[in-house]
Amino acid sequence: MADVSWTAAFPELAAIDDPVWRQTAAMARLVSVDAGTVLFRDGDACAGYVLVLDGSVRVQKMDPNGREIVLYRVEQGQTCMLTTACLLGATAYPAEGVAEEPTRLAMLPAAAFDHAVGASPAFRRFVLSAISRRIADLMLLIEDVAFGRMDMRLARLLLRRAGIGGELA
């Protein structure tokens, strides 16, 4: 059986002990990319389920004039929500993903992902839980943008970027 030690970056996945998941995890292709590597582009077909082992991927949308908006980042121990949506909905990517730093990924082939979601209840729970967490994060962001004061949001961002953390009222 192939090395599945990569699952250590995802304790929930490492704890799954069913034959379908073990077989699927063994099919993962481990990929290392440099900062600036474009992992997918708007309109690309989704080749597989992406799990970030370390590093960071910026998911962004570009307009025809070259302006961009960062939709979210996928960091160590996270999965790409857009990839999940594309796989589940059999659609192409509507944005692009770029490695922000040297990044290591595990990628499950699309067919293996599809089979595991249908045949492994524990893996399906992992995927749906990741979706649930991202939706909750999105709701908090919408609430903050709609009801939060701009100066407070900016102060929190600056503190977070400076590594200070802290909560402002």
Side-chain angles (χ1 to χ4, degrees):
M1 173 126 341
D3 178 21
V4 295
S5 61
W6 66 266
T7 62
F10 296 84
E12 293 172 71
L13 292 179
I16 298 174
D17 188 30
D18 73 49
V20 171
W21 168 246
R22 284 194 306 272
Q23 181 182 23
T24 302
M27 292 180 192
R29 185 170 54 104
L30 302 180
V31 179
S32 294
V33 297
D34 294 326
T37 301
V38 177
L39 299 169
F40 55 85
R41 297 184 191 285
D42 193 337
D44 283 354
C46 185
Y49 188 61
V50 177
L51 303 108
V52 176
L53 303 177
D54 56 63
S56 177
V57 176
R58 181 180 66 247
V59 178
Q60 61 193 19
K61 184 74 176 169
M62 305 284 285
D63 78 3
N65 297 322
R67 293 182 307 172
E68 68 182 49
I69 182 170
V70 176
L71 302 174
Y72 61 91
R73 286 178 170 79
V74 187
E75 297 173 328
Q76 180 177 347
Q78 296 180 334
T79 62
C80 180
M81 185 52 45
L82 195 56
T83 297
T84 306
C86 291
L87 285 169
L88 293 173
T91 60
Y93 282 109
E96 71 177 6
V98 180
E100 292 190 297
E101 59 188 290
T103 301
R104 283 186 330 117
L105 312 162
M107 189 167 102
L108 300 174
F113 168 83
D114 190 48
H115 176 70
V117 166
S120 172
F123 180 64
R124 183 172 46 255
R125 277 191 300 278
F126 171 82
V127 170
L128 295 176
S129 177
I131 292 170
S132 176
R133 283 190 301 272
R134 281 292 185 174
I135 290 173
D137 290 346
L138 179 60
M139 295 306 296
L140 289 174
L141 176 63
I142 290 170
E143 180 180 322
D144 196 31
V145 169
F147 304 117
R149 290 181 24 203
M150 176 65 84
D151 60 336
M152 299 300 279
R153 291 187 356 239
L154 179 59
R156 276 194 300 273
L157 173 67
L158 292 173
L159 287 171
R160 203 169 35 248
R161 291 275 170 97
I164 297 170
E167 282 300 311
L168 300 174

